[in-house]
Amino acid sequence: MFELIGIPPQALFGQMLLGLINGAFYAVLSLGLALIFGLLNVINFTHGAQYMLGAYVAWLLLNFLGINYWLALVLAPVVVGAFGILLERLMLRKLYHLDHLYGLLLTFGLALIIEGVFRNLYGISGQSYPVPPVLTGGYNLGFMFLPLYRGWVVFVSLVVCLGTWLVIEKTKLGSYLRAGTENPTLVQAFGINVPRMITLTYGFGVGLAALAGVLAAPIYQVKPTMGADMIIVVFAVVVIGGMGSIMGSVVTGFMLGLLEGLTKVFYPEASNTVIFVVMAVVLLIKPAGLFGKAS
Amino acid sequence: MPESNPALQLEVSDLHAHYGESHILHGMNFAVPKGEVVTLLGRNGAGKTTTMKAIMGIVQKRGGSIRFEGQELVGLPSNRIARLGLAYCPEERGIFSSLNVTENILLPPAVKPGGMSLEEIHGLFPRLKERGGSQGTKLSGGEAQMLAIARILRTGASLLLLDEPTEGLAPLIVQQIGDIIRGLKGRGYTILLVEQNFRFAATVADRHFVVENGVVVDWLPNDQIEQSTEKLKRYLGV
Ligand SMILES: Nc1ncnc2c1ncn2[C@@H]1O[C@H](COP(=O)(O)OP(=O)(O)O)[C@@H](O)[C@H]1O
Ligand SMILES: [Mg+2]
């Protein structure tokens, strides 16, 4: 069959795997964005910078304190998430009663500052982060070679996305979040500390971005612009999936990653733009996004 | 500061409230005795809902005094107020569409011991048991109102604020809501009820306060409602 369409299976599956990995990052990043947008009504433009921070914290931990990948996978999201909590407490909180635009401007400005600081410190060429020893190498699956670390990235992303979805759909805390997304005033009038819930949600969303950053460190270069490159695509993913839709952003993230990979096989010239073409089409046909509810 | 009267569960004195620059409540004075059903009657726009929201702390820009069981509520955020034992059923009902009926009932946390169990609530509202898995917004108006009331009974709150629970409902459902309110009173709840329909209010309440332009202009015990019908009609413009 593959001979029929003239594509060797190794190339096809290889690109699909690459696509799936990009999709894993899109999914984790857009999940955090969707959570934050749902509850805070803030479009978190700092998300890419926070992803980059996650990668740098892991790199700094390794190079200055000798702390390995596995600990960094936990520590970096906690550190960057705590930084997010500080941002929410000191700055974002003051903007909730204003137009969306103010939150967007603040987070965009912060992203530029953070990126600029790291550019100053580390230049733009980037640092490399080694793949942890147990995850080096790979398996020959017969039809393709699967590098172990890449399989691990897809696995962790799936677990994180599914776990977050389960918490939101099936637990009491999740019902507070869903209700708080709809009508925070009433949820607070039932006795729930909504301002604290908002702070923690922001911290969690930022922590997810940092986790994606740590996962990315051994695959991509750790560099100041890594977030800016990624975040533009992730915003397209969120728009396609539907702003604030949790499941929508996860499914869309993986699907679009795959689509991007397949485009690389069949029409490489379009691989960088295909997501934006999909975005334009979706916006024309279903402006609320594939999984969004029209309001 | 005046001594607080333990027989009064809620004492509102010289309550002012603002939305941004607009001054809506201009010194409301009324009290709700423990175990009674008390109504706020008044035309559309008189400030009844704003009074409820000021009590719950949803309207934060307020002055004067609101005492619940002797404790001052002005200055507290709404989550702290709810934890003292007040529960609010909003005029627009506020059913969450992303939660099913049972999740809506279970949403408000228990703030005090002595709230009803889910079984008791289902006994009181059998329809809500049948529809437990339905999405919150797929209910009829009557069911949604029942859900909005049912939801605040689990919390252990002793003072219920019900904002126009009969608005827009068919006469048969209005009767059921009347039965429920009397039943809740029988269980010892104190209820502050907002109504425009004084004939309905007369079937459930112990006393009535009349609100006009953000102040309480009159009050009467329920047994005087017959001889005051003409006056009430004038107040309410019906
Ligand atoms: N969110 C708001 N912002 C500004 N004004 C409001 C708001 N809500 C109500 N009002 C005004 O406050 C007044 C009292 O409204 P409300 O308390 O809802 O009256 P009622 O419940 O007695 O019908 C009305 O004049 C209304 O227009
Ligand atoms: Mg009203």
Side-chain angles (χ1 to χ4, degrees):
Chain A
M1 178 193 132
F2 296 110
E3 279 67 26
L4 274 185
I5 47 178
I7 309 273
Q10 285 287 346
L12 181 67
F13 289 120
Q15 287 301 343
M16 280 177 70
L17 177 66
L18 280 182
L20 205 57
I21 288 173
N22 282 335
F25 289 113
Y26 299 160
V28 174
L29 287 169
S30 59
L31 171 65
L33 275 179
L35 272 174
I36 291 170
F37 181 76
L39 199 59
L40 283 75
N41 263 317
V42 165
I43 302 172
N44 184 34
F45 262 85
T46 322
H47 218 67
Q50 284 152 345
Y51 160 81
M52 178 268 284
L53 279 178
Y56 264 103
V57 168
W59 182 83
L60 291 168
L61 285 174
L62 182 68
N63 285 284
F64 290 94
L65 300 174
I67 290 175
N68 68 18
Y69 175 84
W70 303 103
L71 273 171
L73 210 51
V74 178
L75 276 180
V78 170
V79 170
V80 181
F83 170 68
I85 283 176
L86 218 60
L87 283 186
E88 197 279 337
R89 280 273 153 119
L90 299 179
M91 298 185 194
L92 273 177
R93 171 162 294 191
K94 313 226 185 304
L95 304 179
Y96 296 146
H97 64 287
L98 299 172
D99 192 89
H100 282 356
L101 200 57
Y102 291 88
L104 191 150
L105 284 173
L106 174 72
T107 54
F108 186 57
L110 285 170
L112 292 180
I113 292 172
I114 296 169
E115 204 187 299
V117 166
F118 276 78
R119 239 182 235 253
N120 247 333
L121 290 174
Y122 299 106
I124 50 166
S125 55
Q127 280 76 25
S128 63
Y129 188 100
V131 173
V134 279
L135 294 177
T136 52
Y139 291 110
N140 194 340
L141 301 178
F143 56 92
M144 68 174 289
F145 181 75
L146 173 71
L148 202 52
Y149 188 77
R150 296 188 179 229
W152 161 252
V153 167
V154 174
F155 171 75
V156 174
S157 306
L158 280 174
V159 168
V160 165
C161 291
L162 204 69
T164 307
W165 181 80
L166 278 176
V167 167
I168 289 171
E169 291 300 320
K170 304 289 173 207
T171 68
K172 190 79 197 223
L173 177 68
S175 70
Y176 292 154
L177 268 169
R178 276 177 286 149
T181 297
E182 271 184 65
N183 189 343
T185 310
L186 187 57
V187 172
Q188 186 167 0
F190 284 147
I192 292 156
N193 191 337
V194 172
R196 190 170 64 197
M197 187 166 88
I198 288 177
T199 304
L200 293 176
T201 299
Y202 189 73
F204 180 74
V206 170
L208 281 181
L211 176 73
V214 182
L215 288 172
I219 298 186
Y220 308 122
Q221 290 270 311
V222 178
K223 59 180 175 183
T225 53
M226 64 190 279
D229 298 343
M230 181 68 100
I231 205 65
I232 303 205
V233 182
V234 172
F235 273 112
V237 171
V238 171
V239 170
I240 294 168
M243 266 296 185
S245 160
I246 303 301
M247 201 49 173
S249 52
V250 171
V251 173
T252 313
F254 277 104
M255 298 296 283
L256 289 175
L258 269 180
L259 178 70
E260 225 180 14
L262 287 175
T263 312
K264 271 201 187 103
V265 178
F266 293 104
Y267 191 58
E269 295 83 347
S271 64
N272 287 329
T273 43
V274 63
I275 287 184
F276 298 99
V277 173
V278 173
M279 179 175 89
V281 173
V282 168
L283 282 179
L284 283 174
I285 298 171
K286 201 163 180 289
L290 293 179
F291 296 84
K293 288 180 205 100
S295 54
Chain B
M1 195 162 280
E3 264 307 290
S4 151
N5 178 346
L8 298 177
Q9 185 141 30
L10 185 76
E11 295 165 274
V12 173
S13 32
D14 194 31
L15 175 64
H16 291 253
H18 306 252
Y19 287 115
E21 295 297 301
S22 25
H23 192 165
I24 307 291
L25 302 183
H26 302 269
M28 297 272 295
N29 290 291
F30 66 96
V32 182
K34 198 169 257 165
E36 281 197 10
V37 176
V38 170
T39 66
L40 298 176
L41 299 173
R43 298 181 194 216
N44 250 331
K48 307 178 298 295
T49 297
T50 306
T51 305
M52 297 288 222
K53 289 185 173 172
I55 295 169
M56 281 314 296
I58 293 171
V59 172
Q60 270 289 319
K61 215 170 160 192
R62 59 212 161 128
S65 163
I66 305 166
R67 283 165 158 249
F68 173 72
E69 294 176 348
Q71 164 146 18
E72 183 58 57
L73 303 185
V74 171
L76 294 183
S78 62
N79 51 311
R80 294 270 312 280
I81 292 173
R83 299 251 165 210
L84 296 174
L86 294 85
Y88 172 55
C89 174
E91 188 173 3
E92 68 284 359
R93 295 170 192 149
I95 304 303
F96 296 102
S97 64
S98 53
L99 273 57
N100 68 27
V101 169
T102 303
E103 285 176 324
N104 264 285
I105 296 176
L106 296 178
L107 183 84
V111 295
K112 289 274 152 104
M116 289 188 197
S117 67
L118 185 60
E119 289 68 35
E120 282 176 283
I121 290 175
H122 280 157
L124 215 52
F125 304 94
R127 269 308 274 164
L128 297 181
K129 184 172 185 185
E130 290 163 33
R131 310 227 43 190
S134 322
Q135 197 190 346
T137 39
K138 297 246 163 70
L139 300 177
S140 71
E143 289 167 342
Q145 187 59 61
M146 301 289 178
L147 176 54
I149 296 174
R151 193 164 59 172
I152 59 177
L153 302 179
R154 255 186 70 259
T155 64
S158 50
L159 173 62
L160 308 181
L161 309 182
L162 309 180
D163 196 345
E164 299 208 35
T166 63
E167 198 181 6
L169 298 180
L172 200 67
I173 312 278
V174 172
Q175 266 183 30
Q176 284 180 21
I177 296 208
D179 292 340
I180 288 162
I181 292 175
R182 283 184 293 272
L184 292 175
K185 184 189 165 178
R187 284 171 172 257
Y189 285 98
T190 308
I191 295 174
L192 178 61
L193 177 71
V194 162
E195 266 304 329
Q196 291 197 49
N197 175 351
F198 76 86
R199 299 198 185 282
F200 171 75
T203 66
V204 295
D206 299 293
R207 69 182 76 206
H208 310 273
F209 291 92
V210 180
V211 185
E212 250 177 19
N213 297 319
V215 287
V216 171
V217 291
D218 206 349
W219 81 276
L220 62 155
N222 197 47
D223 55 18
Q224 280 176 29
I225 209 153
E226 278 309 320
Q227 58 260 48
S228 313
T229 304
E230 285 313 310
K231 188 169 69 173
L232 280 175
K233 279 184 173 169
R234 244 183 350 266
Y235 279 133
L236 297 171
V238 289

